[in-house]
Amino acid sequence: FSSSSARQSVSVPENSPTGFYITGFTATDSDTGSNGTVKYSIVSGNEQAKFTLDDNFGNLTVLNEMDYEKKNERSYTLLIQATDGGMPPKQSTATVTITVTDMNDNSPVFKQTTYSSQVYENVPQGQVIDTVTATDLDSAANDNNKIQFSLASSKEHTNKERKKRTNERK
């Protein structure tokens, strides 16, 4: 391996698709013919089969999805080996450390699907009438698990209420 690719550190977003290019490795052999042909392989660090390495070109890509929220999937250190075609074969190794970065890839989930409350007409303004709860599985890194609540009226719900009021007046 050239000295520039013997040790690498890269960052990869957790939502990188299969086939996403991470980095490449280059090893040269001064032999000619098949003795100078170099093949690449991952020797260790890929026990979870998250990555694949093109054995002819040395391109490292994503094979299976990663999940930053699983603590054992935040960093990988792979040992890459280049082997020539000689007899006996000669080898060289390089190391790449892959840091998985957190993305906002999980949606918030409410504790229950429906909330219903009775509000009396004489309730003072600002009085709490109900509490809704939601969770987000994203990590706190980059505030990806922060949830912002707002009230939204549904056009469909508003139309149903209008029809109901119209029917009551008849």
Side-chain angles (χ1 to χ4, degrees), residues 9-17 20 22 45-46 48 50-51 60 62-78 96-105 138-139 141-142 144:
S9 294
V10 295
S11 295
V12 178
E14 70 175 315
N15 61 350
S16 298
F20 180 83
I22 299 170
N46 196 28
Q48 295 179 8
K50 298 294 182 180
F51 311 100
L60 183 67
V62 172
L63 178 62
N64 288 303
E65 68 180 34
M66 299 168 283
D67 189 355
Y68 180 90
E69 285 72 41
K70 294 180 181 175
K71 293 190 188 307
N72 66 334
E73 293 191 21
R74 292 186 180 177
S75 180
Y76 300 88
T77 300
L78 306 181
V96 60
T97 300
I98 302 163
T99 301
V100 178
T101 57
D102 187 34
M103 301 301 290
N104 189 11
D105 61 333
D138 281 313
S139 94
N142 304 317
N144 286 338

Side-chain angles (χ1 to χ4, degrees), residues 34-45:
S34 63
N35 288 351
T37 302
V38 177
K39 294 286 187 177
Y40 301 91
S41 61
I42 301 173
V43 177
S44 66

